[in-house]
Amino acid sequence: MNRAFLFLAIYCLIVSTTPIIAQELQAPGAVVKEPFFTKTVELHGGSQGLGIEVGVPLSTRFNLRLGTSILAFKGNQVRNFGNDVDYKASGDVDFKNHHLLFDWQAFPGSESILKKIIISVGGAYFYRGIADGKAMTNGDYRFGDLILSPEEVGSVNARVDWTGAAAYGGIGLAGLRLADRLCLGINLGAFYLGSPDVKVTATNLLASNISQEPVLTRNLKGYQWLPNLQFNLAFRF
Amino acid sequence: MKRKFYILIIALVSVCFYACKNITDDVSLTVSQPFSYRPVIQVVDVEAENQGKESKLPADLSISISGKDAESVYNREGYKDYVASSGVLGLGISPRRVPTADNPVKFNVTVSGTGLMTKSVSVTLNPGDSSMVFPVNVMKLTSPPEGVTVNQLSLSLGSEGSMVVPVIISTDGTDGNNESTEITIPAGAQFKDATGAVVVGSQLKTTLIQLDPSKESSLAVFPGGALSVEDVQLENGKTGNAILNPAGYIDITMTINGKEIKQFTQPLEVSMQLDPNFYNPSTRQVIKVGDELDIYSYEVTTNRWTFEKKANVVMINGSLRAVFTISHLTGYSAMVTREANCNMSIKEMLGYYPATINFTTTFYSTKEDRTTPDKLLMTVTDGRPMADNGDYSLYDFWVNDQDTYMVVVTHSSGFEMGRAYRSGCGLREPIILTLPPFIPPVTMQLYVRCPGKTTVVPVNLMPTFEMFYRAAGTTDAYKMLGQVTNGYITTMLLEADKAYDFRAHWGNQVKYITNKVVKANNSATIGQGNGDILGNVAPENNLQILTEKCKGLGFN
């Protein structure tokens, strides 16, 4: 699905840059330039998740986007952590934000693809910015003749929390026309979230691993940025 | 402008691909040992201890675990084989079996070996009894304590393994024993094994052991290790709890060709001499002719007392005796049993004390005046340190609600902290303990550095083991210092700047560190690093053990 979406985006990008399709609307006898920014309702998908935005032009070169995004996924893997015991490590990411972005058309006079380039700044409020990790032994744990289930051994749980306000900066392409009122946009940028709060809890025979909280906190200290590669499908009004 | 724009793009991409540290770098998860309840079984040769000597236990010392919760009992490495190295066995209770007030953990520990009187004790773990020490006092047949007489004989048998003429096996009241017992084997008697099959042989080997319960040294090896006992098969046929007051006890074993005899074709007559000063709690008087005693049998393999019959006290040749017949071989006691019809809760209060302490609570029955201690009913040696903030410890004892008991609390240094007399059921008036003289505590922290590693093993993976000590340069018996939890112990049994010998028990391993001068705060790292130690006795073996243990921990 993601690969198909990527192909579609690349196709649209190529097509939109051709002179035939990328022509501006013309009225008989006169060239009437359509404004670069128009009112839009956009669906987007990318590394900050899926979401919806409303675009409102502020001037010929400035645009305001107000939107919300949800990023949620789960995953797991089997690995060990410094010794011979295999653990099933599962992750559960839950990011939800409201954001407000200002777009600026960088090269309005260009006749090439550069005309479509926008620079975006703004901010977001991640009302939920949580990544939960959980590790349990992968199968029964054997201590001599005593065989304990993963539930009896317990779990180590780590919660990494970025909840709060974030600044955004990025660039993008806007107005890549797919159809009469349907355009594609691409954004590449990053949210600055700051260092997360890290909390480790653990149960049963893994209880002592709360000692790993400072290690995780140190490792995650640099995770202050949330990269954003995003594709927008905009309906123009 | 375009150039600036490209710089901006590069900068942005650089930010987005900011090289963050791998999230799991240096994260090390460890599984702690699974036992929250870690009782310690300490096998002690009573007579050696009486003489202040180190116990020398037989090489084939065997320990078995039986009873209700036996399935939940493991050695410290999680296995079902129980080896008491130098008499010490650390056990662990399965984390699936957590004791509750209504359902404590219960099992029996049976210790046997060549030349020992087989001994069973019952272990009960209530909530919070995480590291209690259960002594199993054993006796060598060749060196019994005062008050115990042993008579071993080899008797010739006739054809078909029968006794040709009547034979009397007796103890003679020597070895400080006020009592003697005669067992008459009638002519023609044959001997059977546990299945009831007659065992045929030419020699009958007998061992008769008699205990004089009036002596504490003798009571120390009394079956079960306590006189306040549970799961007694009572006279009314029901199972209940009882306070035992033995006037005499005998243990008889017989073998033919190495096969253990359990039954006979004809009953044997036992004439047990009784202590003339025995206090009868039923009559509240000293024993006399006509008093009725209970005859109970004791089966060591199940650690269970069973009512057999009644016997009247008679006078024979100037000595008081109980005469009765037996049809199976086991231990027998003539005694007065008091039904333990309720639980007495003893609360022990301690004022502020700037350190943790270890103590022993001893429970006595009392004589008629209710203040003279009679029989030592049971002892609770608590490895759980008492809290230092005026908290309390609570013990429950089975008692008869009509009787009075004496409780003595003793600090591990021997200092008597409290003594009180209590009767009745339920929670009784607290015993306010006197604080022992304060000795600045000594702390010890042990670390382990696995071979080839630069960092030490995390503290939570450090072993938990038992440590014993004695003054350096002596041949005294080692005394228990306590449980070293995750390599750490704090104790008031040691004094800074004094030298000690230490003996550590880790699983089946026993390690010695001799002539070590301790400081107030001590730490050491076992390993091969600079300044690390590997012990001064067989360091190559210690390195091998260290390597194996590290591999077990996943630090290879």
Side-chain angles (χ1 to χ4, degrees), chain B residues 41-108:
Chain B
I41 305 300
Q42 186 178 5
V43 183
V44 176
D45 174 359
V46 169
E47 184 57 11
E49 186 176 70
N50 289 341
Q51 297 176 11
K53 295 178 181 173
E54 189 71 355
S55 293
K56 284 193 172 62
L57 299 166
D60 65 346
L61 189 75
S62 171
I63 295 183
S64 61
I65 306 291
S66 61
K68 181 168 78 78
D69 290 309
E71 274 302 304
S72 300
V73 182
Y74 295 84
N75 69 21
R76 290 283 171 76
E77 290 168 332
Y79 293 103
K80 285 284 189 179
D81 57 321
Y82 309 107
V83 177
S85 303
S86 295
V88 176
L89 170 63
L91 296 174
I93 308 301
S94 167
R96 297 193 185 102
R97 179 64 177 95
V98 177
T100 63
D102 296 333
N103 187 18
V105 170
K106 290 184 179 181
F107 58 92
N108 297 319

Side-chain angles (χ1 to χ4, degrees), chain B residues 148-216:
Chain B
V148 179
T149 307
V150 179
N151 185 9
Q152 291 183 290
L153 294 173
S154 185
L155 305 172
S156 295
L157 296 174
S159 59
E160 299 180 348
S162 59
M163 191 60 71
V164 179
V165 295
V167 171
I168 296 175
I169 307 168
S170 66
T171 55
D172 57 5
T174 58
D175 299 327
N177 195 339
N178 289 332
E179 305 170 8
S180 68
T181 289
E182 296 168 357
I183 299 175
T184 305
I185 306 175
Q190 289 179 295
F191 305 90
K192 301 177 180 177
D193 62 15
T195 65
V198 172
V199 180
V200 177
S202 59
Q203 293 286 321
L204 173 70
K205 293 186 175 179
T206 66
T207 301
L208 173 61
I209 303 168
Q210 181 174 20
L211 274 60
D212 176 357
S214 67
K215 294 190 167 51
E216 279 201 12

Side-chain angles (χ1 to χ4, degrees), chain A residues 50-97:
Chain A
L50 300 173
I52 189 168
E53 289 176 341
V54 175
V56 180
L58 300 176
S59 70
T60 55
R61 291 184 69 183
F62 284 97
N63 184 53
L64 173 68
R65 275 187 288 152
L66 183 63
T68 186
S69 299
I70 295 174
L71 175 66
F73 65 87
K74 296 180 180 178
N76 60 65
Q77 63 172 169
V78 175
R79 56 164 300 175
N80 64 38
F81 293 92
N83 54 43
D84 291 340
V85 179
D86 279 339
Y87 292 86
K88 181 181 284 183
S90 57
D92 185 353
V93 173
D94 187 8
F95 274 54
K96 293 171 182 167
N97 73 65

Side-chain angles (χ1 to χ4, degrees), chain A residues 79 81 83 107 114 117 143-145 147 152 170-171 188-189 205 208-209 212 218-219 222-223 225 227, chain B residues 1-2 5 9 12 15-16 18 20-21 23-30 32 76-80 96 460:
Chain A
R79 56 164 300 175
F81 293 92
N83 54 43
F107 308 107
L114 293 178
I117 289 176
F143 185 85
D145 294 332
I147 297 173
E152 289 172 317
I171 60 169
L188 178 63
L205 306 188
S208 61
N209 291 295
Q212 298 302 300
R218 188 181 70 229
N219 289 350
Y223 284 75
W225 299 88
Chain B
M1 180 67 183
K2 286 182 182 175
F5 177 72
I9 288 178
L12 192 54
V15 166
C16 291
Y18 175 71
C20 293
K21 193 174 174 65
I23 294 174
T24 57
D25 273 0
D26 302 327
V27 172
S28 176
L29 298 187
T30 52
S32 301
R76 290 283 171 76
E77 290 168 332
Y79 293 103
K80 285 284 189 179
R96 297 193 185 102
N460 65 293

Side-chain angles (χ1 to χ4, degrees), chain B residues 192-397:
Chain B
K192 301 177 180 177
D193 62 15
T195 65
V198 172
V199 180
V200 177
S202 59
Q203 293 286 321
L204 173 70
K205 293 186 175 179
T206 66
T207 301
L208 173 61
I209 303 168
Q210 181 174 20
L211 274 60
D212 176 357
S214 67
K215 294 190 167 51
E216 279 201 12
S217 56
S218 171
L219 274 183
V221 293
F222 194 77
L227 297 180
S228 173
V229 294
E230 300 179 350
D231 297 327
V232 176
Q233 188 78 39
L234 298 167
E235 181 181 358
N236 58 15
K238 294 181 180 176
T239 299
N241 306 319
I243 305 291
L244 311 182
N245 198 329
Y249 176 82
I250 55 169
D251 181 272
I252 321 157
T253 54
M254 295 182 181
T255 59
I256 296 176
N257 296 335
K259 189 140 193 146
E260 190 169 7
I261 302 303
K262 298 299 286 186
Q263 305 169 53
F264 323 103
T265 56
Q266 300 178 42
L268 277 54
E269 186 182 86
V270 176
S271 175
M272 182 185 291
Q273 187 180 351
L274 306 172
D275 175 9
N277 297 316
F278 173 76
Y279 168 70
N280 186 340
S282 292
T283 62
R284 298 186 186 277
Q285 293 177 8
V286 172
I287 193 172
K288 61 183 184 304
V289 171
D291 281 2
E292 195 175 56
L293 298 178
D294 301 321
I295 306 300
Y296 272 82
S297 64
Y298 173 78
E299 178 53 50
V300 69
T301 56
T302 56
N303 191 24
R304 195 166 198 218
W305 291 95
T306 301
F307 176 81
E308 294 286 338
K309 58 184 69 175
K310 293 278 190 183
N312 287 321
V313 176
V314 295
M315 183 72 78
I316 300 176
N317 296 331
S319 64
L320 294 172
R321 288 181 172 268
V323 180
F324 52 95
T325 58
I326 60 174
S327 58
H328 62 279
L329 271 191
T330 176
Y332 286 93
S333 182
M335 56 189 176
V336 176
T337 53
R338 300 283 286 168
E339 183 188 0
N341 54 5
C342 66
N343 235 316
M344 175 194 289
S345 294
I346 298 292
K347 200 175 189 179
E348 296 170 1
M349 304 288 293
L350 182 74
Y352 173 74
Y353 197 66
T356 56
I357 59 171
N358 298 306
F359 55 95
T360 297
T361 299
T362 312
F363 204 60
Y364 293 88
S365 60
T366 57
K367 291 195 172 183
E368 188 179 16
D369 60 3
R370 298 198 164 215
T371 55
T372 302
D374 186 20
K375 294 288 195 306
L376 191 160
L377 300 178
M378 65 185 301
T379 296
V380 183
T381 301
D382 206 332
R384 175 181 53 193
M386 184 175 276
D388 60 359
N389 58 356
D391 209 342
Y392 63 87
S393 288
L394 193 64
Y395 298 101
D396 288 334
F397 299 98

